[in-house]
Amino acid sequence: MSERTPLLHYRLSASVSEPELRSPSAGRSPEQQPRRPSSRRQRSGLLHLQQQQQQTQKLSTFFGVVIPTLLSMFSVVVFLRIGFVVGQSGLYQAIAMFLVAYFIICMTVLSVCAISTNGALDAGGAYYMISRALGPEFGGSIGIMFFLANVCGSALYVLGLVEAVVGTFGLPEDGIAITSPYQVLPSGYWWSLLYATAIALLCLLVCLVGAHIYAKATFVIFLVVMFVLGTIFISFFAVGPRTINLPSSATVNPGINSTGPTVPTLANFTGFKLDTLLGNLRADYTVDYTTGTMMTFATVFAVMFNGCTGIMAGSNMSGDLKNPSYSIPRGTITAVIFTFIIYNLLSLLVACSCDRVLLQRDYSFLRDINVWRPFVTIGVYSSTLSAAMSNLIGASRILYALARDDLFGKVLFPAKKTSQSGNPWVSVLISWFLVQLVLFSGKLNTIASIVTIFFLLVYAAVDLACLALEWASAPNFRPTFRYFTWHTCVLGIVGCVVMMFLINAIYASASIAFMLLLLLLIHYLSPTSSWGYISQALIFHQVRKYLLMLDVRKDHVKFLRPQILLMVSNPRSSVGLITFINDIKKSGLYVLGHVQLGDLNTLPSDPLQSQYDSWLSLVDHLNIKAFVNLTLADSVRHGVQHLLFISGLGGMRPNTLVLGFYDDCLPQDTLVDPTLSTSQMSDSSGLCPELEHQPPLFHFPSARASSDRQDHGELGDGKVLGPQEFVAIIADAMKMLKNVVLARYFNTFDRAKVLSPSASSSFKGAVYVDVWPVNLLRPDSCSYVDTCSLFLLQLACILNMVRAWRKATLRIFLCVEDGRSVKGSEEKLDQLLKELRIKAQIYPVSWDQQVALHWQRQGKWGKKQQLQSTETNSEEKRAKTDEEDEIEDYVNSFPSNTTRLSDEYLSAVNKLILDQAGPPPAVRFLYLPRPPADTRRYSVYLHQLDLLTKDLGPTLLIHGVTPVITTDL
């Protein structure tokens, strides 16, 4: 299969060498631009030439992935720690460690291959994969962790190289005799730090030149390492048994007080013997002579796993590869298979030919048994130097990608700078400086656990990214590498997490806590990205599943919630109502509905699509949990019908319609952008030109003046919506078995001011909610236990359960007549409230005078019927016809006496509500009767509601059609 470079990749990776690709004509006007080649052959020839120039600066699979990965995975372990692993843990556990380690990294490699073949990759390697798959929060936090892992890994390999140099050329400490003429370098902590600094500077110089010189240097190192490995394998067969002098630092038992017995100064290379193999099969953990700490399975595994952490070395070079999607899977898998074979063969050969003392007391024994000792020394120096450079250049590329994505603002701004060839030299300098700080730790085994945990955390994140993409079932997740399943992702995550805590639970917990802290920091501080959020895909997948499980046939009154559709004409004058209704939804569905008049047949496109951003910005600005549903219709009534029919999904559909009241209150703009002038906001015809450049939140028409507005409340266009249609909307909702709420005087409602202690300072900060559960338009019926009254009590109770309204006091007003038992009615209502677990204060209200006005009107109506029956015979027919019309009105109207309510009675009831003693309430809940069945009475019905609620302040007229309360458990 040939390496193909998608054209899309060139566009994505152009930023690496942007100065080279920038056209000299950039910034010119169209007239100034040079003429493009006219023929297709000329254009294709130029494109091919440009691609060839681009590819000459990129790396192939072998040079860009295989070689860096092999050298990073061999590094220190293959030359300096293979004997340490077998000597401490034995052959059985050593092979088990390699199997566990390679199982974990193989699961991760499968995930890396899947993500890398799902589209064009850019610079950043694993960070780029995770951030584009899981979003900026996970991507940024894991990117920082991966950056730190590469920094610590580079320092670890530098320290390993220093250890090898000091072991060969260092003078012995504590007066121990010199055993080799090559021991000329002074040793000690500060000398080792000086050597490490010099090596780090060498790595810095190579990385500053760029990826190309790095690739050439690593190729030479690769040839050297492969040659040395060949001599090692040959030496096991070509070299005979011999006795080896142990290093001077290993001849004293490094106990706690350094007074323990001495250990042998000599050890044997026995060649292939069965006794040697049997002696090396089982574990024998002792004190590490370089650090003085007791070894365990976890600590040995931590050191050994560093030989497996190089699998991302090729991925880190994704921005410098010709075709990352092709190279990363093939190169990484090749390197993993090759290193696994080499490690296990070396472990077996070492266990068969070296006694336990040699393995435990001389980590550089391969040099002593080689056909020519300098070969191994050269191999150690070459591999560790290459691994150090690989981690340093990988760290710089990750830091550069983080800086370019602006996840941390100006903190990483300098890391964006690149040279003319595209090398991020500032990122290289920052990475080198951090490596230098880590070098103060002094010993390889000291930081091995930290490096291993960091890499395991990154590997777990890569598996998590692949798992999330697979579980989300995203249609665009179509990797060409298909040798993975969600099971492999889960196994990789579990393996990484378990090994993290086995190695060091404290370090593992601290690293996870640090990652979560970074995640929260990026979530709240970073700007919104355009990469896509896997959380949205997962949420969609799960919500769809649960919506299918939400069966409306299993609904029960105990768990019924208000699911509200609030009709909003212009949010600028409806902020108070929107925020208040958000408080009474009780975690139910909340939909903001809007009807725009128009006919799609006469429009070039749907005008609603461009408005959604403004409405969603409104939801974010008000900090409410609501959906938005807009519709286009020929009338407001038909638009509301559309929304009632189609809003929601499955078992989540609105059961309550909230409308603003139809009155002549002047709208007040409570959503004014302080940066706009009055002239900019005063255009009543719609959006002014200046608004087009404002944030989406303010792309709403300005609130209209009273001369341009008729009574319509919060819904529709005031010029076309009349009282007849408004009441028809209420009737339609009730026919559809929807609860209806009319909200009046909420245009000036300010939730924060109402609930603030200073708002009612004269009443010691008390907040009251008044409830009138009786149908005030039917004084002949004082029942407060019908469905509508109970729904009204339920909504008031829900409001009182909200945290902000919890201190509010419910006051229930019980309308009674003197002829009835006040005490008995109050006791019955109190008992009902106890059964319903509603805490409220009951206030009996006598309304005899108001009822008398009502019955006085009924008496006049009866006398009128008697006079009509005594008319002359010539008028009997007409009188009979009029009486039939009145009887028909009586029958068709519900309630029947609504058509005969006088304005005096309604004004008296309104005054009764206003004259109640005590502080004024924050909001009132009143009973909303059904509209009359005769549509000719709609205007009269609306007039009666207007008189009833006149000057009452924020008021809700509520009509419930479904049971909402039960006394059962």
Side-chain angles (χ1 to χ4, degrees):
M1 185 176 182
S2 62
E3 295 188 9
R4 299 186 302 273
T5 306
L7 183 59
L8 176 63
H9 173 63
Y10 290 108
R11 181 176 63 83
L12 290 174
S13 60
S15 58
V16 177
S17 55
E18 185 178 356
E20 300 176 7
L21 300 179
R22 187 179 293 120
S23 170
S25 62
R28 300 179 185 175
S29 63
E31 294 80 5
Q32 296 173 324
Q33 293 289 346
R35 182 174 297 176
R36 296 181 178 180
S38 57
S39 68
R40 181 179 299 177
R41 179 175 298 177
Q42 288 177 331
R43 288 196 300 268
S44 64
L46 287 177
L47 180 61
H48 180 67
L49 178 61
Q50 183 181 8
Q51 290 179 358
Q52 283 186 335
Q53 292 175 349
Q54 178 102 358
Q55 288 190 8
T56 56
Q57 302 298 322
K58 297 292 183 177
L59 303 177
S60 64
T61 302
F62 184 72
F63 286 95
V65 182
V66 176
I67 291 178
T69 306
L70 276 175
L71 293 178
S72 295
M73 296 185 73
F74 279 149
S75 63
V76 176
V77 174
V78 71
F79 295 116
L80 294 180
R81 289 296 183 268
I82 195 71
F84 162 80
V85 173
V86 177
Q88 295 285 348
S89 60
L91 181 61
Y92 288 156
Q93 290 191 16
I95 294 177
M97 286 181 184
F98 282 115
L99 289 174
V100 171
Y102 272 84
F103 174 79
I104 293 173
I105 67 169
C106 283
M107 298 300 102
T108 304
V109 165
L110 295 179
S111 301
V112 170
C113 294
I115 298 176
S116 63
T117 59
N118 191 49
L121 287 179
D122 205 346
Y127 158 72
Y128 188 87
M129 299 177 193
I130 297 171
S131 61
R132 270 50 178 184
L134 297 182
E137 294 92 347
F138 269 102
S141 57
I142 292 298
I144 289 293
M145 301 300 291
F146 196 29
F147 167 71
L148 294 177
N150 277 273
V151 166
C152 294
S154 180
L156 180 139
Y157 297 131
V158 169
L159 291 174
L161 179 54
V162 170
E163 182 180 311
V165 171
V166 173
T168 305
F169 301 103
L171 291 171
E173 300 181 41
D174 301 328
I176 301 176
I178 298 176
T179 58
S180 171
Y182 304 106
Q183 293 178 307
V184 294
L185 295 178
S187 58
Y189 171 78
W190 293 107
W191 285 106
S192 297
L193 180 62
L194 178 62
Y195 304 149
T197 302
I199 295 171
L201 282 173
L202 177 61
C203 297
L204 172 65
L205 292 176
V206 174
C207 294
L208 282 177
V209 175
H212 312 299
I213 189 65
Y214 163 75
K216 294 177 182 178
T218 53
F219 177 65
V220 175
I221 294 174
F222 171 75
L223 295 178
V224 172
V225 170
M226 291 299 104
F227 176 76
V228 172
L229 274 177
T231 63
I232 289 175
F233 279 103
I234 293 173
S235 298
F236 281 107
F237 299 92
V239 176
R242 62 176 60 177
T243 302
I244 299 172
N245 293 321
L246 297 178
S248 56
S249 58
T251 57
V252 177
N253 189 7
I256 298 176
N257 53 11
S258 299
T259 60
T262 60
V263 296
T265 59
L266 300 175
N268 296 319
F269 172 72
T270 63
F272 293 102
K273 286 188 177 182
L274 182 60
D275 292 339
T276 304
L277 175 62
L278 295 176
N280 289 325
L281 290 180
R282 302 188 181 278
D284 182 19
Y285 294 106
T286 61
V287 175
D288 175 27
Y289 73 88
T290 61
T291 60
T293 57
M294 185 67 185
M295 292 292 99
T296 62
F297 179 90
T299 55
V300 174
F301 180 84
V303 174
M304 183 277 304
F305 193 80
N306 282 284
C308 309
T309 55
I311 60 171
M312 293 294 188
S315 303
N316 292 342
M317 303 296 295
S318 58
D320 299 297
L321 297 173
K322 290 180 182 178
N323 189 348
S325 297
Y326 177 88
S327 300
I328 291 176
R330 290 161 178 79
T332 305
I333 292 176
T334 301
V336 168
I337 294 174
F338 184 78
T339 55
F340 178 73
I341 295 173
I342 296 297
Y343 277 135
N344 282 277
L345 283 178
L346 274 178
S347 299
L348 180 61
L349 293 176
V350 164
C352 293
S353 59
C354 302
D355 63 21
R356 184 63 65 98
V357 175
L358 177 63
L359 299 179
Q360 292 179 342
R361 296 293 173 177
D362 187 2
Y363 297 158
S364 58
F365 72 96
L366 289 177
R367 177 190 57 197
D368 299 318
I369 67 172
N370 200 271
V371 291
W372 189 51
R373 292 179 50 146
F375 278 157
V376 175
T377 302
I378 295 172
V380 170
Y381 296 169
S382 301
S383 62
T384 51
L385 183 63
S386 171
M389 286 192 295
S390 174
N391 278 265
L392 180 59
I393 200 169
S396 65
R397 294 316 190 256
I398 296 168
L399 184 63
Y400 170 67
L402 284 166
R404 198 174 57 178
D405 287 338
D406 286 326
L407 296 183
F408 295 91
K410 297 181 179 180
V411 177
L412 298 180
F413 181 78
K416 293 182 181 180
K417 296 183 179 180
T418 60
S419 63
Q420 291 185 352
S421 61
N423 185 33
W425 61 273
V426 177
S427 297
V428 174
L429 287 175
I430 296 174
S431 303
W432 166 81
F433 176 74
L434 294 178
V435 168
Q436 184 63 47
L437 293 181
V438 179
L439 291 177
F440 282 92
S441 61
K443 293 293 182 181
L444 183 150
N445 288 7
T446 304
I447 61 173
S449 298
I450 300 174
V451 176
T452 302
I453 287 174
F454 278 175
F455 276 109
L456 283 170
L457 187 60
V458 173
Y459 295 166
V462 173
D463 289 320
L464 178 63
C466 188
L467 177 66
L469 289 170
E470 180 70 11
W471 274 357
S473 299
N476 283 323
F477 183 59
R478 300 187 296 271
T480 56
F481 183 88
R482 295 301 305 171
Y483 300 102
F484 78 100
T485 65
W486 68 268
H487 304 86
T488 62
C489 300
V490 171
L491 289 173
I493 295 172
V494 172
C496 290
V497 173
V498 169
M499 293 313 303
M500 282 173 58
F501 283 91
L502 282 179
I503 292 169
N504 193 311
I506 297 177
Y507 288 167
S509 302
S511 61
I512 293 175
F514 180 62
M515 183 196 71
L516 294 177
L517 180 63
L518 288 173
L519 189 148
L520 294 176
L521 184 68
I522 298 173
H523 176 75
Y524 287 108
L525 298 183
S526 69
T528 303
S529 73
S530 60
W531 309 334
Y533 294 81
I534 191 64
S535 58
Q536 297 301 303
L538 289 171
I539 290 171
F540 177 88
H541 188 266
Q542 294 301 313
V543 166
R544 181 191 64 85
K545 181 192 301 183
Y546 287 117
L547 277 175
L548 292 173
M549 297 170 61
L550 190 61
D551 192 344
V552 294
R553 295 169 296 184
K554 299 179 181 178
D555 285 345
H556 194 277
V557 65
K558 290 189 296 185
F559 309 111
L560 193 64
R561 302 175 186 270
Q563 303 198 72
I564 299 173
L565 170 63
L566 170 62
M567 298 303 304
V568 181
S569 173
N570 192 338
R572 294 191 176 278
S573 57
S574 309
V575 171
L577 181 58
I578 293 173
T579 54
F580 178 80
I581 297 300
N582 184 65
D583 286 336
I584 64 173
K585 69 179 187 301
K586 189 55 179 176
S587 302
L589 180 67
Y590 185 22
V591 180
L592 301 181
H594 174 74
V595 178
Q596 181 165 328
L597 300 183
D599 185 359
L600 199 58
N601 290 329
T602 62
L603 297 173
S605 61
D606 183 5
L608 300 177
Q609 297 304 315
S610 60
Q611 299 180 21
Y612 274 98
D613 284 346
S614 296
W615 285 87
L616 295 175
S617 298
L618 172 74
V619 170
D620 295 337
H621 175 71
L622 298 180
N623 195 26
I624 60 175
K625 298 177 181 179
F627 299 95
V628 174
N629 210 344
L630 313 180
T631 189
L632 189 70
D634 58 351
S635 69
V636 176
R637 181 182 181 184
H638 289 163
V640 177
Q641 289 177 357
H642 295 168
L643 294 178
L644 286 175
F645 277 125
I646 68 173
S647 291
L649 198 63
M652 294 189 66
R653 293 185 178 275
N655 57 27
T656 303
L657 174 67
V658 180
L659 305 171
F661 198 78
Y662 194 99
D663 58 16
D664 56 357
C665 292
L666 293 178
Q668 296 188 13
D669 195 339
T670 54
L671 198 64
V672 179
D673 183 356
T675 62
L676 297 180
S677 63
T678 304
S679 61
Q680 290 175 321
M681 298 298 299
S682 61
D683 186 2
S684 62
S685 62
L687 294 177
C688 58
E690 291 82 357
L691 284 174
E692 296 296 335
H693 305 290
Q694 297 299 323
L697 172 60
F698 304 103
H699 285 187
F700 295 110
S702 58
R704 289 167 298 180
S706 58
S707 59
D708 299 325
R709 168 190 171 103
Q710 291 184 1
D711 305 339
H712 76 285
E714 305 296 338
L715 128 93
D717 190 340
K719 297 181 180 180
V720 296
L721 177 63
Q724 192 80 7
E725 186 178 1
F726 179 79
V727 180
I729 292 173
I730 301 174
D732 291 342
M734 293 182 184
K735 291 176 185 177
M736 299 167 68
L737 297 181
K738 307 293 184 184
N739 310 300
V740 178
V741 178
L742 302 184
R744 190 174 190 186
Y745 297 119
F746 277 88
N747 54 336
T748 59
F749 180 81
D750 189 341
R751 180 177 179 270
K753 185 181 296 184
V754 168
L755 297 177
S756 64
S758 59
S760 303
S761 56
S762 58
F763 303 101
K764 300 180 180 180
V767 179
Y768 294 94
V769 176
D770 287 1
V771 182
W772 296 76
V774 176
N775 186 355
L776 298 175
L777 269 63
R778 287 199 61 181
D780 58 329
S781 174
C782 295
S783 173
Y784 47 81
V785 291
D786 63 353
T787 300
C788 184
S789 298
L790 294 178
F791 181 77
L792 189 144
L793 288 173
Q794 177 80 335
L795 285 188
C797 179
I798 288 174
L799 179 65
N800 199 213
M801 295 169 67
V802 177
R803 182 185 298 273
W805 292 87
R806 201 164 289 170
K807 294 183 179 179
T809 303
L810 294 184
R811 299 187 299 190
I812 300 180
F813 292 90
L814 178 61
C815 296
V816 294
E817 299 180 51
D818 290 341
R820 301 185 181 182
S821 172
V822 177
K823 186 176 181 180
S825 299
E826 186 175 354
E827 288 178 352
K828 288 175 61 180
L829 180 58
D830 184 63
Q831 182 62 30
L832 175 64
L833 294 178
K834 288 181 180 179
E835 292 178 356
L836 300 177
R837 290 89 62 201
I838 297 177
K839 185 178 180 181
Q841 298 176 1
I842 301 176
Y843 292 87
V845 178
S846 175
W847 66 333
D848 291 85
Q849 296 180 359
Q850 292 76 18
V851 173
L853 288 173
H854 169 71
W855 290 117
Q856 182 180 357
R857 172 68 181 267
Q858 306 306 310
K860 291 180 180 179
W861 186 83
K863 291 180 179 180
K864 179 180 178 181
Q865 299 304 312
Q866 292 178 1
L867 289 174
Q868 288 177 346
S869 65
T870 59
E871 292 291 334
T872 59
N873 293 335
S874 61
E875 297 178 351
E876 285 181 359
K877 185 175 182 180
R878 185 183 61 178
K880 184 177 181 180
T881 303
D882 292 341
E883 183 176 358
E884 289 176 353
D885 291 340
E886 293 290 345
I887 292 173
E888 183 180 0
D889 290 342
Y890 184 92
V891 172
N892 293 335
S893 300
F894 181 80
S896 59
N897 59 357
T898 300
T899 59
R900 291 173 278 133
L901 290 175
S902 64
D903 291 353
E904 293 83 3
Y905 165 75
L906 294 170
S907 298
V909 173
N910 174 262
K911 188 174 184 300
L912 172 70
I913 297 173
L914 286 172
D915 290 344
Q916 293 305 310
V923 64
R924 289 183 172 91
F925 288 70
L926 301 184
Y927 191 113
L928 174 68
R930 279 180 173 271
D934 186 0
T935 58
R936 293 173 296 176
R937 300 290 182 179
Y938 280 178
S939 297
V940 176
Y941 170 80
L942 187 59
H943 173 68
Q944 292 170 351
L945 297 180
D946 179 64
L947 289 177
L948 178 66
T949 58
K950 187 176 182 180
D951 300 326
L952 290 185
T955 302
L956 294 181
L957 286 161
I958 302 170
H959 185 89
V961 298
T962 54
V964 293
I965 285 179
T966 178
T967 57
D968 299 332
L969 289 177

mmCIF file of all heavy atoms in Angstrom, residues 312-326:
data_model
loop_
_atom_site.group_PDB
_atom_site.id
_atom_site.type_symbol
_atom_site.label_atom_id
_atom_site.label_comp_id
_atom_site.label_asym_id
_atom_site.label_seq_id
_atom_site.Cartn_x
_atom_site.Cartn_y
_atom_site.Cartn_z
ATOM 1 N N MET A 312 4.255 6.792 22.073
ATOM 2 C CA MET A 312 3.741 8.048 21.560
ATOM 3 C C MET A 312 4.816 8.875 20.844
ATOM 4 O O MET A 312 4.535 9.985 20.404
ATOM 5 C CB MET A 312 3.155 8.887 22.706
ATOM 6 C CG MET A 312 1.919 8.290 23.330
ATOM 7 S SD MET A 312 0.547 8.247 22.175
ATOM 8 C CE MET A 312 -0.770 7.729 23.264
ATOM 9 N N ALA A 313 6.050 8.362 20.776
ATOM 10 C CA ALA A 313 7.120 9.144 20.152
ATOM 11 C C ALA A 313 6.794 9.444 18.690
ATOM 12 O O ALA A 313 7.055 10.549 18.201
ATOM 13 C CB ALA A 313 8.443 8.389 20.258
ATOM 14 N N GLY A 314 6.235 8.485 17.988
ATOM 15 C CA GLY A 314 5.843 8.734 16.605
ATOM 16 C C GLY A 314 4.633 9.637 16.500
ATOM 17 O O GLY A 314 4.558 10.503 15.627
ATOM 18 N N SER A 315 3.663 9.466 17.397
ATOM 19 C CA SER A 315 2.475 10.310 17.385
ATOM 20 C C SER A 315 2.823 11.760 17.674
ATOM 21 O O SER A 315 2.201 12.684 17.134
ATOM 22 C CB SER A 315 1.460 9.800 18.418
ATOM 23 O OG SER A 315 1.124 8.459 18.173
ATOM 24 N N ASN A 316 3.822 11.973 18.532
ATOM 25 C CA ASN A 316 4.216 13.347 18.845
ATOM 26 C C ASN A 316 4.756 14.077 17.628
ATOM 27 O O ASN A 316 4.765 15.309 17.586
ATOM 28 C CB ASN A 316 5.284 13.356 19.946
ATOM 29 C CG ASN A 316 4.733 12.892 21.276
ATOM 30 O OD1 ASN A 316 3.533 12.871 21.485
ATOM 31 N ND2 ASN A 316 5.613 12.512 22.182
ATOM 32 N N MET A 317 5.218 13.343 16.639
ATOM 33 C CA MET A 317 5.763 13.948 15.426
ATOM 34 C C MET A 317 4.697 14.107 14.349
ATOM 35 O O MET A 317 5.016 14.304 13.171
ATOM 36 C CB MET A 317 6.902 13.068 14.879
ATOM 37 C CG MET A 317 8.035 12.822 15.851
ATOM 38 S SD MET A 317 8.909 14.326 16.276
ATOM 39 C CE MET A 317 9.618 14.740 14.694
ATOM 40 N N SER A 318 3.415 14.035 14.723
ATOM 41 C CA SER A 318 2.341 14.051 13.730
ATOM 42 C C SER A 318 2.375 15.286 12.847
ATOM 43 O O SER A 318 2.029 15.224 11.670
ATOM 44 C CB SER A 318 0.981 13.958 14.442
ATOM 45 O OG SER A 318 0.829 15.032 15.371
ATOM 46 N N GLY A 319 2.807 16.424 13.402
ATOM 47 C CA GLY A 319 2.870 17.635 12.591
ATOM 48 C C GLY A 319 4.014 17.641 11.606
ATOM 49 O O GLY A 319 4.054 18.478 10.708
ATOM 50 N N ASP A 320 4.977 16.720 11.754
ATOM 51 C CA ASP A 320 6.146 16.672 10.883
ATOM 52 C C ASP A 320 6.132 15.460 9.959
ATOM 53 O O ASP A 320 7.132 15.174 9.303
ATOM 54 C CB ASP A 320 7.428 16.656 11.725
ATOM 55 C CG ASP A 320 7.560 17.903 12.578
ATOM 56 O OD1 ASP A 320 7.653 18.993 12.005
ATOM 57 O OD2 ASP A 320 7.557 17.776 13.817
ATOM 58 N N LEU A 321 5.012 14.720 9.942
ATOM 59 C CA LEU A 321 4.925 13.529 9.097
ATOM 60 C C LEU A 321 4.257 13.858 7.771
ATOM 61 O O LEU A 321 3.404 14.749 7.688
ATOM 62 C CB LEU A 321 4.124 12.434 9.817
ATOM 63 C CG LEU A 321 4.709 11.898 11.126
ATOM 64 C CD1 LEU A 321 3.720 10.950 11.788
ATOM 65 C CD2 LEU A 321 6.030 11.193 10.868
ATOM 66 N N LYS A 322 4.642 13.101 6.737
ATOM 67 C CA LYS A 322 4.001 13.283 5.440
ATOM 68 C C LYS A 322 2.519 12.926 5.512
ATOM 69 O O LYS A 322 1.666 13.661 5.034
ATOM 70 C CB LYS A 322 4.688 12.402 4.391
ATOM 71 C CG LYS A 322 6.088 12.845 4.009
ATOM 72 C CD LYS A 322 6.654 11.884 2.962
ATOM 73 C CE LYS A 322 8.088 12.277 2.604
ATOM 74 N NZ LYS A 322 8.673 11.323 1.627
ATOM 75 N N ASN A 323 2.239 11.775 6.081
ATOM 76 C CA ASN A 323 0.868 11.292 6.165
ATOM 77 C C ASN A 323 0.671 10.643 7.522
ATOM 78 O O ASN A 323 0.861 9.433 7.669
ATOM 79 C CB ASN A 323 0.585 10.294 5.040
ATOM 80 C CG ASN A 323 -0.884 9.925 4.959
ATOM 81 O OD1 ASN A 323 -1.661 10.226 5.858
ATOM 82 N ND2 ASN A 323 -1.269 9.304 3.862
ATOM 83 N N PRO A 324 0.299 11.420 8.555
ATOM 84 C CA PRO A 324 0.180 10.850 9.907
ATOM 85 C C PRO A 324 -0.813 9.696 9.991
ATOM 86 O O PRO A 324 -0.573 8.717 10.689
ATOM 87 C CB PRO A 324 -0.283 12.045 10.751
ATOM 88 C CG PRO A 324 0.088 13.253 9.965
ATOM 89 C CD PRO A 324 0.000 12.866 8.535
ATOM 90 N N SER A 325 -1.936 9.803 9.301
ATOM 91 C CA SER A 325 -2.959 8.754 9.378
ATOM 92 C C SER A 325 -2.446 7.424 8.838
ATOM 93 O O SER A 325 -2.916 6.362 9.246
ATOM 94 C CB SER A 325 -4.203 9.181 8.600
ATOM 95 O OG SER A 325 -4.770 10.335 9.178
ATOM 96 N N TYR A 326 -1.509 7.484 7.912
ATOM 97 C CA TYR A 326 -0.919 6.256 7.372
ATOM 98 C C TYR A 326 0.261 5.789 8.219
ATOM 99 O O TYR A 326 0.424 4.595 8.492
ATOM 100 C CB TYR A 326 -0.469 6.509 5.937
ATOM 101 C CG TYR A 326 0.233 5.336 5.286
ATOM 102 C CD1 TYR A 326 -0.484 4.363 4.609
ATOM 103 C CD2 TYR A 326 1.614 5.200 5.355
ATOM 104 C CE1 TYR A 326 0.160 3.285 4.014
ATOM 105 C CE2 TYR A 326 2.274 4.127 4.775
ATOM 106 C CZ TYR A 326 1.532 3.171 4.100
ATOM 107 O OH TYR A 326 2.165 2.103 3.522
#
